[in-house]
Amino acid sequence: YLAVVIFAKIALGAIYDRWGMKVGTILGTVASVLAGIALCFPATDWGPIIACLFFGFATCMGTVAPPIMVVKEYGKKDLGTVTGIVTAFEMFGAAVGAVVSGIMFDAFLSFVPVWIMVIVASALMGITLLASIPAARKLVERRIAEGAPELDAEGFE
């Protein structure tokens, strides 16, 4: 898994740079959904291997996508603050998810319901990230129309 992560971080960053936010987000979302599906089959020969490959790629969405999308949608101004806020929400989700997954395992004596929730959450992640692209564009255009300073390609005034 960790070997996959090493290569996947570089690959996902390159995908976002070369093919854009939509393609990077779709690939990351598909990997996350496929990882969740594969994790539903832990007793098979192929489930853990496929889960390792796709989950290794999918987890990179949490570290690679936020700064890239923030910069491409809003520019570099206040990048640290905005990325910090996004990361704080991610960590909150991870903390809640860990507790909820333990409670669900105790209730069902299986992680399959947790992986089904991961599949649903992955789909929601992809939908909201894709929706953020035009929403950010409209917000920036509206703010400029209201007199906010226009930022250059680097995100500075």
Side-chain angles (χ1 to χ4, degrees):
Y1 161 75
L2 291 176
V4 172
V5 169
I6 292 167
F7 294 104
K9 280 189 182 289
I10 297 166
L12 186 59
I15 289 167
Y16 268 100
D17 287 342
R18 183 173 176 116
W19 289 296
M21 292 187 291
K22 287 181 183 176
V23 172
T25 299
I26 290 168
L27 287 175
T29 300
V30 168
S32 189
V33 168
L34 291 175
I37 291 169
L39 286 165
C40 289
F41 301 96
T44 65
D45 290 338
W46 57 268
I49 295 167
I50 292 174
C52 175
L53 294 173
F54 285 115
F55 197 67
F57 190 87
T59 57
C60 296
M61 286 292 291
T63 55
V64 174
I68 290 173
M69 292 191 74
V70 167
V71 167
K72 290 187 178 200
E73 290 177 341
Y74 300 105
K76 291 182 182 176
K77 188 172 184 179
D78 300 322
L79 173 63
T81 301
V82 176
T83 304
I85 292 167
V86 170
T87 303
F89 277 102
E90 286 179 328
M91 293 303 104
F92 176 74
V96 170
V99 172
V100 169
S101 67
I103 292 169
M104 290 187 71
F105 180 83
D106 289 345
F108 296 100
L109 299 177
S110 170
F111 280 111
V112 171
V114 174
W115 302 131
I116 292 169
M117 284 180 37
V118 165
I119 294 165
V120 172
S122 297
L124 288 172
M125 170 196 71
I127 290 166
T128 55
L129 285 173
L130 290 171
S132 77
I133 298 167
R137 193 173 301 120
K138 288 177 186 173
L139 176 63
V140 169
E141 289 170 358
R142 190 180 87 227
R143 294 292 294 140
I144 290 170
E146 293 172 351
E150 199 162 343
L151 304 178
D152 62 15
E154 293 295 314
F156 297 105
E157 292 182 32

